[in-house]
Amino acid sequence: MRSVSIGTMSIILFFSAINFSFASELNSLDLIESAYESGSISAGERIIYRLMTVRDRENLPKQYHSDLPLYDKCATEIFFDAVTNFESLTPEQQQAAKDYMSRPSRMFSYDSPDGYYKIHYDTLGTHAVPLDDSNINGIPDFVEWLADYADSSWKCIHEHLGYDLPPVDGGEGGDDKYDIYTENMAYYGYCMPEGSGYVMPSYVSVNCNFYGFPENDDPDGDQKGAAKVTVAHEYFHAVQYGYNSLSYVWYKEVSSTWMEEICYPLTNDNYNYFPYFFPVPHFSLNSTTNKHEYGAFVWNRFIDQYFDTVAVREVWEWMRDTQGTDPYDAHEIVLTNRGSSLTAAYLAFCEWNFFTDVRDDGNHYEDGNEYSQIDIMRTHLSNWYPVENQTPPAVKRPGQLGCNYIMFQVPDDPGNMAIYFDGADGYNWVAQIIMKHRGENLFETGSIDLDSVSAGSLYVYDSQLYEYIVLNPAVCQTSGTSLDYTYSAYWRSPLLEVDVVAGPDTQMYSAAVTSVAFTVHNTGQVADVFESTASDNLGWSLNVNPDQVFIDRDDSAVVTVTITCPQGTLDGVVNDIVLTSASQSSVNVWDDDTLSVEVFLQRGDADNSSNIDIDDVVYLISYIFSGGPAPQPELMTGDADDMICGEPF
């Protein structure tokens, strides 16, 4: 079977007939989109010009002609866009759109053997099909192929998978059989909805010969393979129009491209779209940028293999029954009913996407060895440590249901790896970890425990057992774009190790001075000098003693932090005190721990000076008899024996 990897991207990026040197050029659709985004053309002109790429290429304005061939996957979205925005067009544009969206007129038709479809075709002119007729029955072989592929798709979609039939068209095309037209166009095909609302009848049009299209793995050849998957793909759009025609475009294409895999698993034409998916894991799952939605068919492939095939149908049934248009909402319900959720499934999806090509371990995608490799955003070589405060390139920051993969190669020498992650606050980050055992195709997976502000760390003992460790920051929610994060990684020799343990949390008075203790353990194999520094989150005065201390192996020392609470600090304020102790021999060897200090009420200290003296009596007399300020931080501050300024409480 043909394996499409990142290394073969130059062959298929613009399909097999297109040289990679065209990659910097734009095809007609790209030129139209660029003009619209720059404001050079209106939304209505964009709709008409895109329709012309299907139905009237020769008469496109010259500025939208391109030397780059246009062999695009599916024009369904072009027609759906025109239908749903028809009322916004000018009268002249509406007439042009009607002409471009009307059913093709063909001289001949042929009913499929099982009677479900009517194939419309020409034998002469622009839209003529190949005239080979091996059985000499007057019907071109190409037409009979289409009819057979359509009947097979019907059995797959309706009999095997249990999907509803598409809405009937009221006799359009000659009867109530589903109509498939053949057409000379630069697309595989399209499904044209007719009408409006959540449910619409439709017809399908497919390429009239499939000459020059990308190669595939079909045992009957590229031409027949392209015809097979196109019939399945476009007809499943027709089925979708019977469930919820207003569902989002990305999931329509994900589902139809996935259906190619289900109905014709040997063809693998959809593998041609891996270069639009696996190199961009930071793209949101629902992205429609640069054909991402076609390569993202692996989402449904993951769903049907991780859960079951019925789950995909239930997503469409939920959108049918609720008239909800967002597939994310449908997935949440369907996956929750299976004991999971959309975000949990997405995280598992991220893991599966790592185990492809040579990393396939036999426990993920059935055909994972034939899939492309996921993009590794950054690789840190074994001699690069420490890696400190790294951020992703702006163009690769992940958005909702997007992720990155960061690889840390592990030194051969004995040691331990520490990885730190801190994601943008307010988002549901998961810092996934994948570790490959050295010398064998065996992996361990997990994640870093993150706190309420999406920060956390992982310490990997005996890291030399692993060839590499992958950090995958994933945005496991359906909102957010271009989110930033930082990460660091340290490799530490076991000869030098330190462990800091904080003493118990404590309390202190405002404007008072107190001391807290931390224990610094030398857990390494050699004696060392450790330097200690203290920090907090409120900016109080801190003094470390001793700030340097020699500690023998397997020994420890107590380091004291003297804390001065500013005068006027109110009751209930909590300050987190952090002691960090670092090896003087290696910047990579350090540890920290945290304890909390809470300010509490000192009765009798009316002026909140931390001293109880005659000044407090004067302060209270002034408050009671002369209207002076109240005791701070509250009235009970001025009381020393369960009375509030002379009144029991």
Side-chain angles (χ1 to χ4, degrees):
M1 300 294 281
R2 178 173 50 94
S3 177
V4 179
S5 66
I6 300 298
T8 61
M9 188 186 304
S10 61
I11 299 175
I12 64 173
L13 188 54
F14 287 96
F15 301 123
S16 57
I18 303 170
N19 189 282
F20 185 68
S21 63
F22 288 120
S24 61
E25 300 179 16
L26 300 176
N27 64 28
S28 293
L29 276 178
D30 297 328
L31 292 170
I32 294 167
E33 200 64 27
S34 178
Y36 173 67
E37 290 176 355
S38 68
S40 300
I41 60 174
S42 67
E45 289 172 317
R46 172 181 176 270
I47 288 173
I48 298 303
Y49 292 156
R50 294 209 307 158
L51 287 170
M52 292 177 72
T53 67
V54 186
R55 287 289 185 86
D56 196 12
R57 287 175 312 207
E58 295 78 9
N59 291 317
L60 266 174
K62 184 174 296 185
Q63 62 267 36
Y64 305 119
H65 286 209
S66 171
D67 292 333
L68 185 65
L70 174 62
Y71 292 99
D72 222 333
K73 178 65 173 174
C74 175
T76 295
E77 188 272 332
I78 292 175
F79 287 91
F80 184 77
D81 183 42
V83 169
T84 54
N85 292 286
F86 185 80
E87 296 302 323
S88 67
L89 302 178
T90 67
E92 294 78 9
Q93 291 170 344
Q94 287 183 350
Q95 185 56 55
K98 285 181 180 178
D99 293 340
Y100 291 136
M101 293 189 295
S102 62
R103 288 186 176 232
S105 176
R106 300 290 178 260
M107 290 293 296
F108 303 100
S109 65
Y110 172 71
D111 291 348
S112 67
D114 291 341
Y116 301 128
Y117 300 90
K118 186 178 289 292
I119 315 299
H120 302 264
Y121 65 98
D122 279 345
T123 56
L124 297 173
T126 302
H127 303 289
V129 299
L131 298 181
D132 299 315
D133 184 11
S134 59
N135 58 3
I136 318 176
N137 66 349
I139 307 299
D141 293 340
F142 183 84
V143 173
E144 292 182 304
W145 298 344
L146 292 178
D148 288 341
Y149 305 154
D151 281 343
S152 294
S153 298
W154 195 98
K155 293 173 183 176
C156 171
I157 294 170
H158 301 303
E159 292 184 2
H160 176 61
L161 298 178
Y163 285 88
D164 295 343
L165 296 173
V168 297
D169 61 11
E172 294 288 337
D175 53 31
D176 281 339
K177 293 181 175 64
Y178 192 85
D179 296 300
I180 299 177
Y181 295 84
T182 54
E183 187 169 353
N184 183 358
M185 55 180 160
Y187 296 84
Y188 281 75
Y190 62 85
C191 181
M192 171 64 201
E194 298 178 306
S196 61
Y198 287 94
V199 175
M200 288 191 263
S202 61
Y203 68 85
V204 158
S205 184
V206 302
N207 195 277
C208 65
N209 54 47
F210 292 103
Y211 291 153
F213 278 72
E215 66 177 21
N216 56 63
D217 293 334
D218 196 282
D220 294 327
D222 294 343
Q223 183 189 30
K224 290 184 177 180
K228 291 175 184 178
V229 298
T230 301
V231 170
H233 181 114
E234 302 303 342
Y235 179 66
F236 194 56
H237 280 315
V239 173
Q240 295 164 15
Y241 288 143
Y243 281 82
N244 191 327
S245 63
L246 303 182
S247 178
Y248 295 171
V249 167
W250 75 270
Y251 193 63
K252 291 177 180 176
E253 295 301 345
V254 163
S255 296
S256 279
T257 311
W258 166 76
M259 190 57 72
E260 301 175 19
E261 189 80 6
I262 300 302
C263 292
Y264 295 101
L266 299 182
T267 303
N268 298 331
D269 187 85
N270 45 15
Y271 287 15
N272 288 308
Y273 297 91
F274 284 161
Y276 305 106
F277 177 80
F278 282 100
V280 288
H282 58 284
F283 277 21
S284 296
L285 179 61
N286 65 355
S287 173
T288 56
T289 299
N290 195 27
K291 302 182 180 69
H292 181 269
E293 65 272 29
Y294 301 117
F297 82 87
V298 293
W299 167 254
N300 270 11
R301 195 64 176 138
F302 160 77
I303 292 295
D304 84 59
Q305 293 182 10
Y306 190 81
F307 296 101
D308 51 71
T309 305
V310 176
V312 178
R313 192 188 73 210
E314 290 180 359
V315 168
W316 283 102
E317 289 173 343
W318 184 91
M319 291 189 288
R320 175 197 64 195
D321 297 341
T322 65
Q323 295 191 347
T325 57
D326 190 344
Y328 283 160
D329 295 337
H331 278 86
E332 193 64 61
I333 298 300
V334 171
L335 299 181
T336 297
N337 290 339
R338 285 165 169 75
S340 184
S341 67
L342 173 61
T343 54
Y346 176 73
L347 186 62
F349 179 60
C350 293
E351 176 186 317
W352 278 46
N353 289 338
F354 182 79
F355 292 101
T356 61
D357 197 64
V358 296
R359 291 194 291 263
D360 177 39
D361 63 351
N363 297 318
H364 296 84
Y365 292 111
E366 290 177 2
D367 299 322
N369 64 310
E370 300 175 30
Y371 288 11
S372 300
Q373 287 190 31
I374 201 73
D375 175 66
I376 304 298
M377 186 197 77
R378 190 175 290 144
T379 297
H380 297 283
L381 302 179
S382 58
N383 60 347
W384 279 15
Y385 302 103
V387 173
E388 296 185 294
N389 298 320
Q390 296 291 301
T391 60
V395 296
K396 290 194 174 183
R397 291 174 184 161
Q400 50 98 355
L401 296 189
C403 66
N404 294 138
Y405 296 81
I406 304 158
M407 181 175 289
F408 304 100
Q409 292 186 354
V410 180
D412 294 337
D413 299 331
N416 306 312
M417 182 78 76
I419 299 174
Y420 297 81
F421 174 80
D422 188 2
D425 294 350
Y427 293 92
N428 182 20
W429 290 94
V430 173
Q432 189 176 61
I433 294 292
I434 302 172
M435 302 188 295
K436 181 186 183 298
H437 281 255
R438 196 177 295 275
E440 52 186 328
N441 199 29
L442 178 64
F443 297 84
E444 295 179 34
T445 61
S447 62
I448 298 175
D449 290 334
L450 302 181
D451 59 22
S452 60
V453 291
S454 301
S457 60
L458 176 72
Y459 201 75
V460 182
Y461 293 94
D462 296 325
S463 298
Q464 74 279 1
L465 298 176
Y466 304 98
E467 179 181 336
Y468 58 75
I469 300 171
V470 172
L471 168 66
N472 174 28
V475 185
C476 291
Q477 63 181 67
T478 58
S479 62
T481 58
S482 189
L483 302 180
D484 206 1
Y485 58 84
T486 60
Y487 67 90
S488 301
Y490 302 86
W491 183 84
R492 299 170 174 175
S493 166
L495 298 176
L496 298 170
E497 290 293 338
V498 62
D499 181 33
V500 177
V501 178
D505 295 342
T506 189
Q507 294 178 310
M508 67 184 302
Y509 298 135
S510 174
V513 177
T514 193
S515 295
V516 294
F518 293 80
T519 303
V520 180
H521 300 265
N522 180 357
T523 55
Q525 299 176 15
V526 295
D528 199 4
V529 174
F530 295 92
E531 299 179 354
S532 298
T533 58
S535 61
D536 70 342
N537 59 344
L538 296 180
W540 293 0
S541 175
L542 307 174
N543 183 58
V544 179
N545 183 40
D547 60 357
Q548 289 189 359
V549 61
F550 174 85
I551 308 176
D552 204 349
R553 57 176 293 185
D554 294 328
D555 205 352
S556 62
V558 175
V559 175
T560 300
V561 179
T562 302
I563 306 165
T564 302
C565 176
Q567 185 172 354
T569 304
L570 298 180
D571 177 38
V573 169
V574 177
N575 196 5
D576 293 327
I577 311 299
V578 181
L579 183 78
T580 303
S581 292
S583 164
Q584 197 174 65
S585 303
S586 174
V587 295
N588 291 343
V589 179
W590 57 271
D591 192 35
D592 60 32
D593 203 1
T594 305
L595 59 78
S596 296
V597 176
E598 180 181 8
V599 178
F600 73 109
L601 185 67
Q602 184 178 16
R603 297 186 183 278
D605 184 16
D607 60 1
N608 202 22
S609 67
S610 82
N611 295 312
I612 300 177
D613 51 27
I614 191 64
D615 291 339
D616 296 297
V617 177
V618 174
Y619 192 98
L620 282 173
I621 291 172
S622 174
Y623 167 67
I624 296 171
F625 297 105
S626 302
Q632 296 296 324
E634 56 187 69
L635 288 178
M636 286 189 295
T637 307
D639 182 76
D641 58 355
D642 293 341
M643 302 284 285
I644 300 179
C645 297
E647 295 294 331
F649 67 94

